[in-house]
Amino acid sequence: MARFKPILLVSKPSMNTNDLRQCLRIAFGGILGFLFCKIAGTNYGAFYTVTPMLLLGMVPVLNPHVLRQFLAGAALVTVMVLVVQGLFGDKPVPLTLIVAGLFALLFRAMARGPNFLFGATSIVNLSMLLHFASYPSADVLGMVTTFLEAVLVSLAIVVLMHWLFPEVEPRPPRQVPPKPASNQRHEVILATTVATLSFIAFQVLDLRGSLSAQVATILVLFPLNWKGAGPAGWNRAIGTFVGCNAGLVLQLLLLNHFDVLPFITFGLWLSLMVFARYHMLEGGISGAGFAALTTMAILFGQYLTPQTDLVYSDLYRFSSLAVAVLVSLMAVYVMHHVLNRFASTRLVE
């Protein structure tokens, strides 16, 4: 296994004007989602902060195909959570089998390439909603209604950001290299197995405050193979560590004024701009910069309230995430070697 460098991996020497525009879209879009959820007083602030961050950070260009994938994913997640949780929420075995089947379909869409965004956003949102809905006190209908509202708000934010900070020049399309059938089978089976094991673990264990760790176990699977998951897990841990420390520094600077919305908003915007820059220097992929962005989004969107500061949540986030990423990578490593024993599922590099 290649050694991972203990630094933020930077792959571009500098940013161009398009990259700067995307940084502004990420920072201002994240702030708008944060302000909306805090002013509205919702219990599911992560929906409003993470969703626009995914769209603005991972998709530099907005077009009808992107919008169709995003809306289709939101519709699928809404129907599946209502139906699956409503009919099988108290039946662990059927619930797990259905969730595994859904994961397989979504990872298959990611492995094929053209509908990667549909699969990625659906898996993240489905995991978040099932995590929240798994507790007896959860109001599933109210949660799904909030999710749909967050989808519409996020879509409006994304469109507004692209209108305010448009691209300066056309970007070359990302080329998706063709994959042999064995690679696709390898990626789908590996990612589905590890994601299902993560789902079971978070269902069995009482991990109400471990949303960051739960999402991290999904995000490290986005490369869909061991070769990419190892660096992705490392970058996820580094980005989360940096994001958590940035949250602590901001908390210490504000002291008892963390309940003053303009102060916390400015500090969050500044942090998002810094991490967005690292994200663009990494090539706009799901690396350490993007991990720091989503960490800040979850910390401030979900856990910061006028009555609750970030100190405990911040420290717990990183410790739980480090354990979750380590266990996930171990599962990915084992599945990688098991699947490579068979010609039909062997990963051709």
Side-chain angles (χ1 to χ4, degrees), residues 135-180:
Y135 298 103
S137 59
D139 177 11
V140 177
L141 182 59
M143 180 187 64
V144 170
T145 302
T146 303
F147 168 71
L148 288 176
E149 181 184 68
V151 166
L152 296 177
V153 171
S154 299
L155 189 58
I157 289 174
V158 169
V159 172
L160 177 62
M161 290 300 100
H162 278 275
W163 179 72
L164 289 176
F165 308 108
E167 298 283 275
V168 176
E169 55 187 15
R171 292 180 187 250
R174 290 180 179 177
Q175 300 297 327
V176 180
K179 298 179 183 178

Side-chain angles (χ1 to χ4, degrees), residues 49-305:
T49 52
V50 173
T51 305
M53 206 75 73
L54 283 172
L55 276 176
L56 294 169
M58 299 304 295
V59 185
V61 179
L62 189 65
N63 55 46
H65 183 56
V66 169
L67 295 178
R68 283 194 298 267
Q69 291 186 73
F70 177 64
L71 292 175
L76 175 68
V77 169
T78 299
V79 173
M80 287 298 101
V81 170
L82 288 175
V83 173
V84 172
Q85 191 66 32
L87 296 178
F88 303 101
D90 58 343
K91 301 176 179 64
V93 175
L95 176 64
T96 302
L97 293 176
I98 292 172
V99 170
L102 288 171
F103 282 159
L105 291 174
L106 295 172
F107 280 119
R108 183 169 178 265
M110 293 175 64
R112 289 190 168 186
N115 296 315
F116 184 92
L117 179 65
F118 166 75
T121 56
S122 298
I123 289 172
V124 171
N125 288 327
L126 185 65
S127 301
M128 289 172 61
L129 264 71
L130 289 176
H131 177 79
F132 283 128
S134 63
Y135 298 103
S137 59
D139 177 11
V140 177
L141 182 59
M143 180 187 64
V144 170
T145 302
T146 303
F147 168 71
L148 288 176
E149 181 184 68
V151 166
L152 296 177
V153 171
S154 299
L155 189 58
I157 289 174
V158 169
V159 172
L160 177 62
M161 290 300 100
H162 278 275
W163 179 72
L164 289 176
F165 308 108
E167 298 283 275
V168 176
E169 55 187 15
R171 292 180 187 250
R174 290 180 179 177
Q175 300 297 327
V176 180
K179 298 179 183 178
S182 63
N183 279 25
Q184 294 187 32
R185 286 190 287 268
H186 180 103
E187 292 175 349
V188 172
I189 296 173
L190 182 149
T192 300
T193 303
V194 176
T196 304
L197 290 175
S198 170
F199 173 77
I200 294 172
F202 280 90
Q203 290 291 297
V204 172
L205 303 175
D206 186 11
L207 300 172
R208 293 172 183 262
S210 300
L211 180 62
S212 294
Q214 191 265 340
V215 172
T217 61
I218 301 298
L219 292 178
V220 297
L221 296 175
F222 276 15
L224 300 176
N225 55 64
W226 164 246
K227 183 179 179 181
W234 175 256
N235 286 334
R236 188 78 202 167
I238 291 296
T240 302
F241 177 75
V242 175
C244 287
N245 276 280
L248 280 178
V249 169
L250 186 54
Q251 176 72 65
L252 292 174
L253 289 175
L254 293 176
L255 294 177
N256 293 329
H257 301 293
F258 67 89
D259 56 345
V260 181
L261 191 58
F263 291 171
I264 202 73
T265 299
F266 176 75
L268 179 59
W269 178 86
L270 193 60
S271 302
L272 294 181
M273 276 296 293
V274 172
F275 296 141
R277 179 179 181 275
Y278 273 108
H279 175 57
M280 297 316 303
L281 289 174
E282 290 176 313
I285 62 174
S286 181
F290 190 69
L293 285 169
T294 53
T295 297
M296 296 290 284
I298 293 175
L299 277 174
F300 284 82
Q302 186 65 31
Y303 298 108
L304 180 68
T305 69

